[in-house]
Amino acid sequence: MVDLSELNDAQREAVETLQGPVLILAGAGSGKTRVLISRIAVLIDRGIIRPYQLLALTFTNKAAKELRERLHAMIGPVAEQVRAGTFHSTFARLLRRDIAALGYRDNFAIYDTDDSERVIKRILEDRKAPEERFSPGRIHSLISRAKNSAEAPEGFLRAMPGPVAKVAADICSEYQKRLKSNNALDFDDLLLAPKQLFDQFPKLLETYRDQFPYILVDEYQDTNRAQYELIKALAARDQNICVVGDDDQSIYGWRGADLRNILEFEKDFPNAKVVRLEQNYRSTPQILDLAWNVIRRNVDRKEKKLWTKKDDGDNATVISAMDENEEAWRIVEEIDRLAIHERRPYGHFAVLYRINAQSRALEDTLRRRGIPYELVGGVRFYERREIKDVLAYLRILDNPDDAVSLLRIINVPKRGIGESTVKQLSDYAAASGMSLREALKKVDDIQALKKAAKSRLAAFNALLTGLEEEAAAAKPSVITRQVIEKTGIRAAWEDEGSEEAHTRIDNILEFRFALEEMEENNPELTLRDFLQEVTLMTEVDEWQEDKGHVTLMTLHSAKGLEFPVVFVSGLEDGLLPLAGREDRSSDVEEERRLFYVGMTRAQDKLYLSFANRRRLFGEGGVQAPSPFLSDIPTELIDGDTLPRHSDISISLGEHARSRSASSGLGRRKPAGDSDHHYRVGDRIRHRDFGDGTVISKSGGADDLKIRVLFRNAGTKTLLVRVAPIKKLKS
DNA sequence: TATATAGTGTTTTTT
DNA sequence: ACACTATATA
């Protein structure tokens, strides 16, 4: 029997509702994971399902691992049979079996964001996109967004405003074509391809419905449309689907997470049982009260209010600093004070911020004080250049059609194969309809190549062929060793000899050791499995709780974690909420949720800090405190007084407003430029019309109009106050 | 083809 | 401020 006596009523209801669709609205700190594992345990214990019939989908490997481990602790080794995994790894595995029907081979490569952007970059180059240069990253994120929308991507993009979307629409079918000829899928395809399979082959869908009659989804508020469609397809027949989420913690909207999925779950599954978990086991009543006073301002949310049996704690403390250095100093001072007076280990503290750039002042201050800290985030291990180089060799061995990987390492380490040589090779490949790898085997036939180029390519070909032979028989770790040594990658870094080069060699070796360790745990590990795992892996596993160091991280990374003492820093208008750039709308409700997520990480003590002036992106802007702060009743906070908004405008005056309009921070809707200093002859840029020159002025003050001659859009009259324009430096 | 310089674009990032 | 990348130059 599974022991449910420690659960509260709502939790027990969530656990005991075993049939039909269930939506568990699990507030922050409400014991969500405990409910999940209890539910699985009951399902198995009562013989309703076999462990392997349950599919549990999470967003991170860490979450899947935690689920499996805690389940193991509760019900023993059968827990290992439960299919718990991330969306991407679960469906990647499915595709390895069944993707042939879509015209891919089972050795398909999985492209990460960087690989995808390389493909797009090449497309742009091939099209010789004229004057306007669009960043591959921008286009990729649009294409990704379109794919996640589960609509026809091209139509989706055509319907979007703005010139970048048009280009993205033009490019996306070519992008898809190239992925296919590389036998590669991007992250989004890992979700879309299964959906296509299910749509085209209903029998296959039935097989999977038989295999997984029970489905469970964690962090449901973060699912995008494509994920939602997949879940729906799988669950439609048996309706045994349990989703857990918190609409108040949805902070990935900018990546396509669709709040509708949770807000309209009851519409999609009409018989759904909704359970609210509102008892919080993490924070003091003061912290919950504060957080509630902020989040309740959101309109798009399901009504709920967290409560706790915990004893009263302290009010939150506001820290108002002159600039980011003073802010950091005051935070660190407070950490030190609590560490001494309350004997708190440094592991109790987390400092959270909106953007990674904010970490610098904090790091400097902590380092000067000699306080151990760990920075979470930044460049991921497997995305480092030297690691990706090694990976590219390994990938080309597993999937010879992977042109992105081949092009990446064709001259790494430097072997004298330059741009023009590569061009001739790829032209030949394109003309004769073969892959780059095949063309490389036929260098002798390529007339255009010079003798020297030919022999270098031939040498590279021989290198690859040697590795391929090795790869056919050897273990992944042995192949990797060969790659590191035989290609000269290691030797090249050693020749460079700099400190940085040493770090890179260390990373490469660490990479190899990690692989060897994986092999020890799983002697059957294939190169393909390894590559897949590495591509779909995150670094979160490496972050260790309570290791006696202060943790620094973004608000996004903090989701799902908890700390006794939390500092939410940088509470300034334009930073939190972060003002989007003029072409991208920022969603204030999502920013508010982000703040909410930050506050609800705190168990005992919460600090809210802001700087009146902050140097960011080279410019020092004067900022007003975050409007979110004025949502908080003053009786709930101690510490520095909060300037009222009227005080701010008096004390900072015009200066503040014009600064915030022209610096990156504080630029807010309406998109109009409040810096009205336009003169005839000034060059400006308009969001839709492009660049132009001011040819006359009329009206004044708030009514100022300018006539602008655009390079490509003729002459327009614009109301400066509202027009989406900005002044270009002359 | 490799290196110096100018130019640029800067959110968040589970996969 | 700073890091990354496209362009010019040897």
Side-chain angles (χ1 to χ4, degrees):
Chain A
M1 265 313 264
V2 182
D3 180 17
L4 303 181
S5 62
E6 304 224 335
L7 300 179
N8 66 41
D9 290 348
Q11 288 178 326
R12 196 170 304 120
E13 189 183 8
V15 169
E16 298 268 14
T17 309
L18 299 172
Q19 300 291 337
V22 183
L23 166 62
I24 302 175
L25 288 170
S30 62
K32 172 191 73 171
T33 307
R34 154 174 264 190
V35 166
L36 283 184
I37 57 167
S38 304
R39 196 167 189 276
I40 299 172
V42 168
L43 281 167
I44 294 171
D45 188 59
R46 300 196 186 157
I48 299 172
I49 55 166
R50 305 255 174 197
Y52 51 81
Q53 291 180 306
L54 186 121
L55 178 62
L57 296 167
T58 65
F59 278 84
T60 65
N61 297 294
K62 188 183 168 215
K65 195 171 147 208
E66 191 189 340
L67 202 68
R68 232 179 287 118
E69 283 172 357
R70 287 183 59 176
L71 193 60
H72 193 291
M74 187 178 253
I75 64 172
V78 285
E80 299 302 325
Q81 296 175 38
V82 169
R83 294 302 162 88
T86 65
F87 273 93
H88 290 82
S89 64
T90 300
F91 289 104
R93 195 181 312 160
L94 181 151
L95 290 171
R96 294 282 180 210
R97 290 178 73 93
D98 295 312
I99 201 171
L102 294 178
Y104 293 81
R105 272 139 284 129
D106 67 354
N107 62 336
F108 61 83
I110 299 171
Y111 279 2
D112 68 14
T113 310
D114 179 63
D115 303 317
S116 298
E117 285 176 12
R118 280 166 185 260
V119 173
I120 290 166
K121 193 167 162 222
R122 286 197 80 81
I123 297 174
L124 287 170
E125 281 167 6
D126 291 351
R127 302 216 163 164
K128 298 192 195 67
E131 6 145 344
E132 210 100 35
R133 310 170 45 77
F134 295 98
S135 80
R138 198 72 150 284
I139 290 170
H140 176 249
S141 82
L142 283 168
I143 290 178
S144 171
R145 191 66 93 73
K147 285 170 133 186
N148 288 331
S149 77
E151 291 169 45
E154 207 178 321
F156 180 91
L157 290 167
R158 295 242 174 262
M160 272 180 86
V164 196
K166 301 280 171 294
V167 177
D170 289 339
I171 284 184
C172 76
S173 73
E174 174 68 16
Y175 168 73
Q176 215 53 42
K177 223 165 81 189
R178 292 201 187 186
L179 284 192
K180 193 162 188 174
S181 66
N182 285 357
N183 193 28
L185 302 181
D186 67 12
F187 284 146
D188 303 317
D189 291 333
L190 293 179
L191 306 172
L192 287 183
K195 183 62 176 40
Q196 281 170 23
L197 279 173
F198 291 163
D199 287 345
Q200 290 173 28
F201 307 98
K203 267 188 157 166
L204 186 74
L205 175 58
E206 286 300 311
T207 324
Y208 281 105
R209 283 172 170 172
D210 291 340
Q211 191 178 341
F212 298 118
Y214 264 79
I215 295 169
L216 199 147
V217 183
D218 192 20
E219 305 282 12
Y220 184 63
Q221 76 280 356
D222 291 329
T223 50
N224 61 38
R225 225 49 201 173
Q227 286 161 328
Y228 167 76
E229 297 281 342
L230 267 179
I231 300 161
K232 204 165 87 172
L234 283 169
R237 191 186 72 191
D238 299 342
Q239 297 269 312
N240 283 319
I241 174 162
C242 173
V243 300
V244 194
D246 180 3
D247 46 317
D248 288 335
Q249 294 187 65
S250 165
I251 53 176
Y252 286 99
W254 50 275
R255 278 186 60 177
D258 196 334
L259 208 42
R260 282 182 302 169
N261 294 350
I262 194 165
L263 295 177
E264 296 175 8
F265 185 79
E266 293 155 271
K267 234 183 262 173
D268 300 322
F269 295 93
N271 299 318
K273 173 99 179 175
V274 180
V275 183
R276 287 180 158 74
L277 304 182
E278 293 174 294
Q279 181 176 356
N280 173 290
Y281 295 90
R282 179 183 296 153
S283 312
T284 64
Q286 281 70 20
I287 290 166
L288 294 180
D289 203 8
L290 199 72
W292 182 73
N293 270 290
V294 172
I295 199 64
R296 72 192 178 96
R297 314 269 163 175
N298 272 4
V299 177
D300 258 346
R301 68 183 288 261
K302 289 190 174 264
E303 190 47 45
K304 59 189 120 38
K305 190 172 179 183
L306 297 179
W307 59 278
T308 180
K309 289 183 181 167
K310 271 199 172 186
D311 292 338
D312 276 357
D314 301 330
N315 273 356
T317 308
V318 169
I319 297 174
S320 161
M322 281 298 296
D323 57 25
E324 74 275 16
N325 293 318
E326 197 201 30
E327 182 191 39
W329 186 83
R330 302 256 315 259
I331 288 173
V332 172
E333 187 80 352
E334 189 62 13
I335 290 174
D336 235 5
R337 194 183 69 81
L338 291 176
I340 294 165
H341 282 76
E342 300 188 359
R343 307 192 149 275
R344 288 180 183 275
Y346 288 125
H348 274 200
F349 304 92
V351 187
L352 310 180
Y353 37 78
R354 178 64 236 261
I355 61 175
N356 280 313
Q358 285 172 257
S359 71
R360 178 165 249 149
L362 292 160
E363 280 190 85
D364 287 348
T365 312
L366 286 163
R367 203 175 311 125
R368 263 202 299 274
R369 283 282 189 114
I371 295 177
Y373 68 90
E374 183 169 339
L375 187 90
V376 179
V379 194
R380 289 212 194 84
F381 183 74
Y382 69 89
E383 281 172 6
R384 282 164 213 246
R385 197 173 89 197
E386 62 277 20
I387 302 297
K388 284 219 71 169
D389 288 342
V390 176
L391 279 171
Y393 275 99
L394 296 174
R395 295 201 325 185
I396 196 70
L397 298 178
D398 185 50
N399 173 15
D401 296 321
D402 181 354
V404 169
S405 294
L406 185 62
L407 289 171
R408 183 184 179 102
I409 42 98
I410 195 164
N411 198 30
V412 174
K414 299 219 165 81
R415 51 173 73 89
I417 300 177
E419 204 183 319
S420 55
T421 308
V422 172
K423 178 84 171 52
Q424 279 149 0
L425 179 70
S426 53
D427 283 352
Y428 176 83
S432 51
M434 52 177 79
S435 70
L436 274 183
R437 179 72 193 91
E438 285 162 352
L440 196 57
K441 290 177 181 163
K442 301 205 183 318
V443 276
D444 285 341
D445 302 349
I446 307 176
Q447 313 293 326
L449 284 172
K450 288 209 187 94
K451 209 171 161 196
K454 244 182 217 183
S455 73
R456 285 175 186 142
L457 285 175
F460 178 58
N461 178 50
L463 173 69
L464 284 187
T465 308
L467 290 170
E468 278 159 358
E469 280 162 14
E470 196 78 46
K475 287 195 297 189
S477 61
V478 176
I479 307 165
T480 303
R481 186 190 296 261
Q482 303 275 358
V483 165
I484 296 168
E485 308 300 338
K486 275 196 184 167
T487 62
I489 285 183
R490 177 177 183 161
W493 287 118
E494 261 162 12
D495 286 348
E496 200 191 297
S498 64
E499 196 178 328
E500 186 200 312
H502 275 114
T503 316
R504 293 190 193 273
I505 293 172
D506 288 347
N507 286 337
I508 290 171
L509 295 180
E510 190 185 326
F511 172 82
R512 210 189 75 206
F513 295 148
L515 168 57
E516 281 167 6
E517 201 181 306
M518 277 167 73
E519 265 174 2
E520 272 171 37
N521 294 329
N522 176 13
E524 306 290 296
L525 188 79
T526 64
L527 182 59
R528 188 168 306 159
D529 291 339
F530 171 69
L531 289 172
Q532 172 166 320
E533 186 153 338
V534 143
T535 310
L536 300 180
M537 197 165 63
T538 72
E539 216 184 0
V540 267
D541 295 281
E542 295 190 15
W543 180 79
Q544 304 249 331
E545 235 173 303
D546 210 336
K547 270 286 195 75
H549 50 242
V550 175
T551 301
L552 305 182
M553 65 182 148
T554 63
L555 290 160
H556 281 91
S557 318
K559 196 180 70 166
L561 305 175
E562 61 184 12
F563 301 88
V565 184
V566 168
F567 296 82
V568 179
S569 68
L571 277 158
E572 290 130 50
D573 195 7
L575 188 58
L576 185 66
L578 186 68
R581 292 173 52 93
E582 65 270 1
D583 51 340
R584 261 190 241 192
S585 58
S586 70
D587 179 345
V588 176
E589 294 215 341
E590 181 153 314
E591 297 288 318
R592 192 178 280 114
R593 291 193 290 267
L594 204 44
F595 182 33
Y596 175 78
V597 166
M599 290 190 289
T600 53
R601 298 311 94 199
Q603 295 170 313
D604 309 337
K605 284 182 187 296
L606 175 63
Y607 292 81
L608 308 173
S609 72
F610 65 92
N612 289 293
R613 179 186 287 274
R614 180 180 300 274
R615 185 164 272 279
L616 211 51
F617 304 143
E619 287 200 87
V622 177
Q623 304 303 137
S626 169
F628 297 158
L629 284 172
S630 19
D631 293 340
I632 301 172
T634 43
E635 62 268 24
L636 293 179
I637 41 185
D638 295 337
D640 299 345
T641 47
L642 272 178
R644 309 217 65 82
H645 266 285
S646 53
D647 298 339
I648 292 289
S649 48
I650 290 163
S651 61
L652 305 173
E654 271 309 306
H655 181 58
R657 288 202 219 111
S658 64
R659 282 306 313 191
S660 63
S662 55
S663 75
L665 283 173
R667 195 182 289 147
R668 309 169 65 193
K669 283 184 272 180
D673 193 337
S674 56
D675 186 353
H676 292 176
H677 307 298
Y678 286 98
R679 286 181 302 195
V680 173
D682 282 347
R683 311 250 313 126
I684 65 126
R685 173 165 295 163
H686 187 281
R687 189 189 60 203
D688 301 317
F689 304 139
D691 294 359
T693 309
V694 179
I695 53 176
S696 72
K697 270 172 42 159
S698 62
D702 272 357
D703 197 31
L704 181 69
K705 296 186 195 84
I706 52 176
R707 260 181 94 65
V708 180
L709 173 63
F710 289 100
R711 210 190 320 160
N712 301 317
T715 313
K716 309 272 180 195
T717 304
L718 308 169
L719 187 58
V720 172
R721 185 162 49 82
V722 296
I725 54 176
K726 66 178 181 190
K727 203 159 148 179
L728 296 176
K729 286 183 197 124
S730 35

